Amino acid sequence: MKPTPALALALMAIGMAYILYPAGKDEESPTSPATVRSAAAAAQFGPGTLPAASHGSPLQPGGVPIFAIGPNGELIINSSVMVGLDVLLAQLPEHPSRNDLARLEERCKEGLPDHAARDAHRFLHAYIAYRKAESEIEAQPHNADTTTAEARLNLTIALRRAHFGAQVADALFAAGEAQSRFGIQATRIQADPNLSKFEKSTRLEALRKTISEEGALEKDESAQAQQLMERQVALLRGRGAPESEVQQLRQQSLGAQEAQIISDMETQQAEWERRYQAFLQQKNAILSTGMSEQNRQENVDALLRRHYKAEEMQNARAYDLEYGPK
């Protein structure tokens, strides 16, 4: 199944414009080693890639717990928590009331003992503040050059460590940040007009080797488990197993929350692909006519407007460019 750029932009932080509730001066930071065990590296789903929940509002009580606690009673902060919080935040109105925020807080504290609930409360508001600041960075105009991209990455890295501390920020984001740096450096090499193809290839291979030796691109245990699970999913579907078996396997491997998120994303991906194929069939009919190039393009643009909403147009064009017939 092809990835959808539209899904990658589907849910931005709608409810991010909130004020961080200050913790008392005598309270320990929710990201300190004494209260948090960081249990994951980069999130599988980054900001803005989350599907809307399809089974009622996640803010309603009694859903899948957002936070979990470790064997010693410590609050666990990992990629699943970020996924869950993004889903919850996307359910809030643009200008949430105190009641909205209170419901969010209660939802996050469900199933936690008092000390962990307090830590979860503090982390929730630290996360809200982080997402708000991150969205402000993303909203700034920028050029598509590597210098700008590197500056924005450095600003985001500093922002994460300011909000979460180095230990938690490294556990949650370091692997993704290393891959972003690799992408920036690789783009810089590819764009260098003074390098021959051979020199570019040599430098790229050296860059990959360096990063691999540093372990930045090595797959962690969770990523390996994810790959194994998806191979098992492919086998199940290959023999015609019902989707209930696929969902059961994912729940056993990832937990109910992430299994449901993946299922929701696949549903939306399938719907996006269905819509694209309908557009593509009509586009091919237009391209096969004897129209002038200008008339063909005008008709294709009109076709895009019939199939996609205004906010989807940029992603639809990018998807067509990437996956359409060459």
Side-chain angles (χ1 to χ4, degrees), residues 3-240:
T4 58
L7 287 177
L9 298 173
L11 287 179
M12 294 307 291
I14 233 176
M16 299 303 174
Y18 319 132
I19 299 174
L20 174 63
Y21 287 10
K25 293 182 180 179
D26 59 338
E27 293 179 322
E28 194 166 20
S29 164
T31 58
S32 68
T35 58
V36 175
R37 179 169 64 89
S38 301
Q44 178 186 358
F45 302 106
T49 67
L50 301 172
S54 60
H55 302 287
S57 171
L59 284 176
Q60 294 176 352
V64 177
I66 301 302
F67 291 92
I69 56 174
N72 298 318
E74 72 276 21
L75 191 71
I76 296 176
I77 304 298
N78 58 21
S79 58
S80 297
V81 170
M82 294 197 299
V83 170
L85 290 180
D86 281 335
V87 170
L88 292 183
L89 290 171
Q91 306 301 313
L92 292 175
E94 184 175 0
H95 301 291
S97 66
R98 285 191 173 275
N99 285 339
D100 292 326
L101 292 176
R103 288 171 59 214
L104 174 63
E105 291 166 355
E106 290 304 312
R107 179 68 179 82
C108 289
K109 293 188 289 187
E110 282 183 359
L112 298 177
D114 289 345
H115 70 280
R118 289 192 295 270
D119 293 337
H121 179 278
R122 290 194 291 270
F123 184 84
L124 167 65
H125 288 285
Y127 190 75
I128 288 173
Y130 158 67
R131 282 294 196 220
K132 178 179 182 294
E134 183 188 50
S135 66
E136 291 171 352
I137 293 176
E138 291 299 321
Q140 295 174 3
H142 59 282
N143 300 319
D145 59 81
T146 55
T147 301
T148 301
E150 190 169 36
R152 289 164 65 86
L153 175 61
N154 289 337
L155 186 59
T156 301
I157 289 173
L159 178 72
R160 290 165 174 168
R161 278 140 190 84
H163 280 278
F164 302 118
Q167 182 182 10
V168 172
D170 284 345
L172 293 176
F173 304 109
E177 290 165 355
Q179 294 200 31
S180 295
R181 289 196 185 281
F182 171 85
I184 291 170
Q185 293 177 52
T187 300
R188 191 171 288 156
I189 292 171
Q190 291 280 27
D192 191 337
N194 298 318
L195 297 177
S196 66
K197 288 185 178 180
F198 176 77
E199 288 172 325
K200 290 179 180 180
S201 176
T202 301
R203 293 195 183 189
L204 285 172
E205 184 58 35
L207 178 62
R208 290 191 187 96
K209 183 179 179 181
T210 299
I211 293 180
S212 180
E213 287 174 350
E214 293 174 352
L217 295 183
E218 293 297 324
K219 297 172 183 174
D220 60 18
E221 292 182 2
S222 63
Q224 293 177 16
Q226 170 73 14
Q227 285 192 340
L228 175 61
M229 184 269 296
E230 288 302 334
R231 285 198 294 269
Q232 292 173 326
V233 166
L235 289 173
L236 284 175
R237 287 175 170 163
R239 64 177 176 82

